[in-house]
Amino acid sequence: PTYQSSLKWTASKTALVELIYSLRETKAINNGTIEIKELAQSMEIFFNIQLGEPYRKFNDIKTKRKNQASFLEQLENAFRRLLD
């Protein structure tokens, strides 16, 4: 049977790409050996979203954005507030 998730990604696609690359680079999934394309496809299924080309979005993050990890900073700040 095909997996059908009821979850929906409601942040930006760029935010999800930040998360995907971070999960791989921290070796949080498959000890970092998973390909970005495979991880992105899994996230698309899990969160019911079409990312398009994650490599292109990553390149945009690298070249165009002043605050390159804004979503990750939001995650950290939200978690710290929760702890306080």
Side-chain angles (χ1 to χ4, degrees):
T2 303
Y3 178 74
Q4 183 71 33
S5 173
S6 63
L7 301 177
K8 181 163 176 57
W9 184 262
T10 55
S12 71
K13 291 179 181 183
T14 301
L16 185 53
V17 170
E18 281 184 40
L19 183 60
I20 288 167
Y21 273 85
S22 297
L23 288 170
R24 190 188 72 171
E25 290 305 304
T26 58
K27 299 180 180 7
I29 299 175
N30 291 0
N31 293 313
T33 60
I34 190 167
E35 294 294 325
I36 290 297
K37 184 175 182 175
E38 181 182 356
L39 185 51
Q41 288 172 339
S42 296
M43 293 293 207
E44 286 178 327
I45 293 166
F46 191 71
F47 290 122
N48 289 299
I49 189 171
Q50 292 296 313
L51 286 174
E53 184 54 55
Y55 301 106
R56 181 172 292 157
K57 289 193 187 323
F58 179 73
N59 192 49
D60 290 345
I61 291 168
K62 281 176 43 175
T63 59
K64 295 180 182 175
R65 290 178 51 196
K66 292 178 185 176
N67 187 2
Q68 293 178 323
S70 62
F71 181 67
L72 299 177
E73 289 176 6
Q74 289 174 23
L75 286 176
E76 180 182 12
N77 292 336
F79 188 68
R80 289 184 185 278
R81 282 192 306 273
L82 183 63
L83 294 175
D84 292 339

